[in-house]
Amino acid sequence: MNLSRIHLSDIQVFLAVAQSGSLVTASQKLAINHSTAFRWLKRFEGQIGHLLFNRSDNHYVLSEAGHVIFPVAENIASGITSLTMVADSLGDHLAGAVNVTSADAMVLGYLPRAVKLFHEYHPKITIHLSSDNNFVNLSKREADIAIRPTHSLTGNMVGRKAASMLFGLYASQEYIDSYGIPNIDNKGKGHLLCDYDASLSHLYAAQWVKENMSNARIVTKLASTVSLTQFAKSGMGIAAIPCFLADVDAKLVKVVEFDEWVASDIWILTHPELRHSPKIRAVLDFMFDTIRKDEGFFAGKQESYILNSRS
């Protein structure tokens, strides 16, 4: 057994394969090619001196030795991540990369202009922006900052609520000309509905639709508010969409205005050990201040400050 030169990359591959059960999925998650992932995993098994997986039909299941090694490897990876976070927080320069994740509606409908303005203030900080409708694990440094519409916070995160994202029921004029305005009293009878799929069933908007449009005929289910927006624009049916996405689109008409409880709070979040990093603090503060200025826009009550900003 030779443990003197274990590579962190090998540990990461081992953990990713253990969690997914697939070398292909693990290599995609780590953004490396399949052959590299296989080579690193074999190197790690060689250094440990034991086979760590039982392989069957390209599926990887932890062996007895793998089960013993797994929690130790997790602790090592977690320790390295914590060390990196602490080291980042010690820097005093507003420069470098900051990884930001958010839901697709924010990434496509709002953040491009916000990131552009941020770059004008901090040209040496590069924001790496990713779109994910599911929570990423900030503790594992899957992102430095999450800008997340949510009802509740999970995991080890700190942050501030910047605004509330309201929803409404929208349709194209073409659809309205053919089917009219939906009636809540008869639960949308005679109408076509573009609905949320199960992955977004936790949204209050999805729950409102389930309760108030139960007689509408569902023509499609989608895992994205951006996709729902496009389907509604095409005239395929009515859809519950964030007001800030739909109100700026001349092809969509609000047919039902939701109550304020049908909203998702927008949080700006990071890991506690990262919040004192100057570059991360700069992004946190800018995004919070910008979204807070657009609070009325996200509530569907006024034009956007930032989208109309020329500075």
Side-chain angles (χ1 to χ4, degrees):
M1 182 184 300
N2 178 16
L3 303 181
S4 61
R5 299 190 64 183
I6 288 181
H7 298 262
L8 177 60
S9 57
D10 299 351
I11 295 175
Q12 291 171 329
V13 168
F14 165 69
L15 291 173
V17 173
Q19 290 161 353
S20 66
S22 165
L23 191 65
V24 173
T25 302
S27 62
Q28 291 172 345
K29 178 181 179 181
L30 297 172
I32 58 177
N33 63 52
H34 180 274
S35 61
T36 299
F38 179 78
R39 187 171 68 255
W40 289 354
L41 180 60
K42 293 297 293 182
R43 181 172 63 188
F44 187 56
E45 287 184 321
Q47 291 167 327
I48 296 297
H50 296 275
L51 288 177
L52 301 177
F53 293 97
N54 297 315
R55 300 164 176 83
S56 176
D57 297 327
N58 292 324
H59 189 68
Y60 285 66
V61 180
L62 284 172
S63 65
E64 184 176 348
H67 277 291
V68 174
I69 294 297
F70 183 80
V72 180
E74 271 198 318
N75 287 337
I76 293 171
S78 177
I80 294 295
T81 300
S82 295
L83 180 63
T84 303
M85 289 180 179
V86 172
D88 281 349
S89 71
L90 297 176
D92 58 358
H93 298 294
L94 292 174
V98 176
N99 297 314
V100 178
T101 182
S102 189
D104 60 352
M106 292 291 293
V107 170
L108 296 175
Y110 185 78
L111 289 176
R113 179 63 178 165
V115 172
K116 179 179 182 295
L117 284 181
F118 176 83
H119 184 70
E120 292 176 7
Y121 287 102
H122 301 287
K124 294 183 179 180
I125 297 177
T126 302
I127 292 180
H128 295 180
L129 186 60
S130 65
S131 173
D132 195 328
N133 288 324
N134 299 310
F135 266 107
V136 300
N137 192 325
L138 298 182
S139 297
K140 293 184 178 180
R141 204 71 188 273
E142 293 176 353
D144 299 318
I145 293 172
I147 301 174
R148 183 61 56 189
T150 184
H151 305 311
S152 59
L153 303 182
T154 58
N156 188 18
M157 296 178 288
V158 293
R160 293 178 287 176
K161 172 188 167 183
S164 290
M165 179 191 299
L166 266 67
F167 289 70
L169 203 63
Y170 290 84
S172 69
Q173 188 60 53
E174 173 192 359
Y175 176 89
I176 295 171
D177 291 342
S178 299
Y179 292 91
I181 302 294
N183 190 333
I184 297 177
D185 293 336
N186 64 18
K187 307 291 186 180
K189 185 177 180 180
H191 281 269
L192 307 178
L193 175 65
C194 301
D195 201 5
Y196 293 100
D197 80 354
S199 67
L200 294 178
S201 61
H202 62 281
L203 292 175
Y204 290 157
Q207 296 169 23
W208 186 97
V209 168
K210 183 177 180 180
E211 294 171 5
N212 294 282
M213 291 287 116
S214 56
N215 287 332
R217 180 163 64 89
I218 298 173
V219 292
T220 186
K221 288 196 172 189
L222 299 163
S224 160
T225 54
V226 172
S227 299
L228 282 172
T229 303
Q230 295 302 315
F231 273 72
K233 283 172 60 175
S234 75
M236 191 168 183
I238 53 178
I241 302 170
C243 294
F244 86 92
L245 271 184
D247 288 347
V248 298
D249 197 317
K251 294 183 178 180
L252 288 171
V253 178
K254 185 186 293 183
V255 293
V256 178
E257 186 167 353
F258 290 173
D259 295 331
E260 290 190 1
W261 71 266
V262 190
S264 294
D265 294 334
I266 302 175
W267 286 80
I268 316 296
L269 303 162
T270 191
H271 190 277
E273 294 178 354
L274 288 175
R275 59 182 165 177
H276 299 302
S277 165
K279 64 180 181 180
I280 290 175
R281 185 82 259 163
V283 178
L284 287 170
D285 291 343
F286 180 88
M287 292 301 172
F288 175 83
D289 292 341
T290 300
I291 292 173
R292 173 56 64 87
K293 287 177 180 177
D294 269 337
E295 190 172 12
F297 173 63
F298 285 104
K301 297 178 181 178
Q302 66 185 46
E303 289 188 350
S304 167
Y305 159 80
I306 191 171
L307 297 183
N308 291 296
S309 172
R310 294 294 181 266
S311 60

